[in-house]
Amino acid sequence: MKGLTVDYATVLPALLPVVGLVVVLVADLVDPRLRRFPYAVAGLAALGSALATVPGLALGGGSTRQTFCLTGRAAARGSLPAIEGLPQVCLWQADALGSTLQLAAALAALVCIALAWPGTRRVRPVGSTREPVEAVLLLAALAGTVVVAASRDVGTWLVALELATLPVIALVALSGRRSAVAGATQLLVTSLVSFALLVLGVALWFTATGSPFLTPDAALSTGGAFAAGTGAGATAVVFPSVSAGLVALATVLVVAGVGFKLSLVPFHAWTPTAYAGSSVAVATFLATVSKVAALAALLVVLRAVSVLGTPALLSIAILAALSMTLGNVMALRQDDVVRLLAWSTVAQAGWVVLPLVSISALGVTASATYLLTYLVATLVAFAVVAVTLRDEPGRGRHLSAYDGLWQRNPWRAGALALALTSLAGLPPGVIGLVGKITALRPVVAEGWVWLAVIAAVNAVMGVAVYLRWLRGVITVPEGRAAPRQPAAEALAAARRRPALVAGLVLASAVLVMVSVQPDLLLRLLG
């Protein structure tokens, strides 16, 4: 093997969204009147990306699929440090955990595209460019999410993480409403601060390890060298050994930088504003795909430093405790369901990072497991909100719009009930209970008693948050009847919004499947 080797099958999950957005752009040039075609292409690209992750899902026992691999000499010619002694270094790595996160992002993006599907008018008005722009931005953010889960060098990692973030800022502002612009502005400012922290963390990583690669081998190195200059005059510059404290500081900065994107307290201020100002489809994307990108980026770093036996980080414990508590307290005060789900995201983000107090394989797997349980349940909840908004555009965002939903529309109420009980960790949402137990295991194993107590208290508070919504769904409003929607009327409504219904059905089917067989997620994660 000489130079750079590329396995296109391994990078196919990222290539398909890129191909899809190119097709959308070309089609818009050819016929700018098309309204549904951009979403159809985006949906096919997301579905293809999900299917392309299947070979990676079959990997187990630490097996990986690698590509963009450099031999020692080729890397030296590219002025990459500390790799002359290595047989090869690969910039892209697919394994069971990374492929599962890619699959989750692609399926979540597919549901978001279904929720954003335009109405009955097939030809868009003259001068309107919303449809192709929205489809391109969704695919660009998806491509960034897929890449960041597999990247193993700091350059690709940083660029992919920002590619997963910047298009979402434009998506939030796309509606043009004042609230949307305010949310996009807040998101932009926090993203810039996040990027600065991430760059500083990467710089410290490079200083400590002498390597631009986010791999265990790089973490284990106590120093490194790189070629300064080119040709025969190149000289080797050697980094001195740096204490493990510098690597720990780099990790803390990465946690803080990713904390903005995960909506962790105190980096959460943009979340309720951005969610409330966005369309439901974009808010769903923020709550699901963007969170996969953020956690995937964090796990790349933590899996690299886990070989050092790094002690548990107090900063992660504090962020988790604050996020769970503030998120639940604020969610209890919300009557707007989108804002309720926004604060729910803050609380659930605390649960996502909770297992990472143990920087180990157990903590990484537990964190990914909880993220997937949250993602599927949140997709269903947002899909129900989107369908309700289509039926009741004036009041579908208020909790009162869901009173007596069980009597009016049992199948939609059942989907919402399963989603809310999963988020609360109650039967029949068994997957939510499994996720919480899995998240607590590393905390108990590390001996964080006070953190486990705070998590248990917040689990009870979370039950109150979601039962407050669920109570109205399953009870008949006092003093007024809640007639059941006739089957013919329900069928006609479904025909008017087939994409919305398809998105809800897809998300609900996945939630039912993992609730019936919760160990499926653990098997997928290897």
Side-chain angles (χ1 to χ4, degrees):
M1 179 181 64
K2 295 181 179 181
L4 178 68
T5 62
V6 181
D7 178 4
Y8 290 100
T10 303
V11 299
L12 193 59
L15 284 178
L16 288 175
V18 174
V19 171
L21 70 87
V22 171
V23 171
V24 171
L25 291 173
V26 172
D28 187 55
L29 289 175
V30 174
D31 188 351
R33 298 173 303 167
L34 296 176
R35 193 169 188 222
R36 293 180 175 177
F37 183 76
Y39 294 98
V41 173
L44 289 175
L47 179 60
S49 180
L51 295 176
T53 64
V54 171
L57 299 176
L59 298 172
S63 301
T64 61
R65 300 174 69 200
Q66 299 176 331
T67 188
F68 292 112
C69 296
L70 295 160
T71 61
R73 289 184 179 179
R77 287 197 297 269
S79 298
L80 296 175
I83 58 178
E84 275 291 338
L86 297 178
Q88 69 175 17
V89 174
C90 298
L91 311 184
W92 183 288
Q93 183 172 302
D95 56 10
L97 189 148
S99 296
T100 302
L101 292 177
Q102 290 174 340
L103 173 64
L107 290 179
L110 182 60
V111 174
C112 293
I113 292 166
L115 299 184
W117 195 272
T120 55
R121 191 186 326 190
R122 295 179 180 273
V123 178
R124 69 176 190 264
V126 178
S128 172
T129 59
R130 179 186 178 91
E131 287 80 7
V133 169
E134 189 169 44
V136 166
L137 291 174
L138 287 169
L139 288 176
L142 173 60
T145 302
V146 172
V147 172
V148 77
S151 59
R152 292 300 182 270
D153 67 289
V154 294
T156 305
W157 182 81
L158 274 174
V159 171
L161 185 54
E162 292 311 301
L163 178 60
T165 303
L166 294 179
V168 182
I169 300 174
L171 282 169
V172 173
L174 196 58
S175 67
R177 297 192 302 270
R178 181 177 298 180
S179 58
V181 174
T185 302
Q186 288 190 17
L187 183 53
L188 176 61
V189 172
T190 54
S191 294
L192 292 175
V193 176
S194 168
F195 183 71
L197 290 172
L198 292 173
V199 170
L200 183 56
V202 164
L204 289 175
W205 172 272
F206 188 82
T207 302
T209 65
S211 172
F213 299 103
L214 299 168
T215 60
D217 288 336
L220 288 171
S221 64
T222 57
F226 67 92
T230 58
T235 58
V237 179
V238 180
F239 286 93
S241 297
V242 182
S243 67
L246 200 55
V247 175
L249 180 58
T251 305
V252 170
L253 287 172
V254 169
V255 171
V258 174
F260 282 101
K261 304 178 189 300
L262 276 175
S263 301
L264 291 172
V265 174
F267 315 117
H268 68 288
W270 62 270
T271 307
T273 307
Y275 280 42
S278 308
S279 66
V280 174
V282 174
T284 307
F285 197 91
L286 275 169
T288 55
V289 181
S290 293
K291 297 302 179 281
V292 174
L295 184 67
L298 182 58
L299 294 187
V300 168
V301 175
L302 293 183
R303 294 175 81 184
V305 302
S306 63
V307 297
L308 299 177
T310 306
L313 295 177
L314 179 62
S315 58
I316 294 180
I318 294 174
L319 291 177
L322 289 176
S323 299
M324 286 187 290
T325 304
L326 182 62
N328 282 325
V329 169
M330 294 302 296
L332 279 169
R333 303 177 59 184
Q334 305 303 315
D335 290 325
D336 184 313
V337 293
V338 175
R339 284 187 172 272
L340 188 153
L341 289 172
W343 284 108
S344 167
T345 297
V346 175
Q348 299 292 344
W351 280 97
V352 169
V353 300
L354 179 68
L356 298 179
V357 295
S358 172
I359 303 180
S360 62
L362 176 62
V364 167
T365 303
S367 179
T369 301
Y370 194 89
L371 175 71
L372 295 179
T373 64
Y374 152 79
L375 182 145
V376 178
T378 301
L379 274 177
V380 175
F382 268 111
V384 172
V385 171
V387 174
T388 304
L389 278 172
R390 183 66 63 89
D391 290 343
E392 303 180 59
R395 58 187 292 268
R397 291 177 62 140
H398 198 274
L399 279 177
S400 61
Y402 300 85
D403 290 348
L405 183 62
W406 189 270
Q407 286 73 31
R408 301 197 311 270
N409 199 313
W411 71 270
R412 196 194 311 170
L416 181 58
L418 184 59
L420 295 178
T421 53
S422 296
L423 289 170
L426 296 174
V430 178
I431 188 62
L433 179 60
V434 172
K436 282 183 166 55
I437 293 174
T438 304
L440 281 170
R441 283 183 61 198
V443 178
V444 175
E446 289 285 347
W448 291 76
V449 178
W450 66 269
L451 185 58
V453 171
I454 291 177
V457 171
N458 276 280
V460 176
M461 292 174 62
V463 170
V465 169
Y466 302 112
L467 286 187
R468 178 169 171 258
W469 187 355
L470 183 59
R471 181 183 60 184
V473 172
I474 62 178
T475 58
V476 179
E478 186 177 353
R480 59 187 178 94
R484 180 168 179 169
Q485 187 177 21
E489 182 180 338
L491 182 60
R495 287 175 177 173
R496 291 195 300 269
R497 51 179 195 276
L500 270 180
V501 175
L504 176 56
V505 169
L506 174 60
S508 301
V510 175
L511 182 56
V512 169
M513 182 171 59
V514 295
S515 295
V516 172
Q517 195 171 5
D519 64 326
L520 177 62
L521 287 182
L522 295 176
R523 293 207 304 268
L524 281 176
L525 291 168

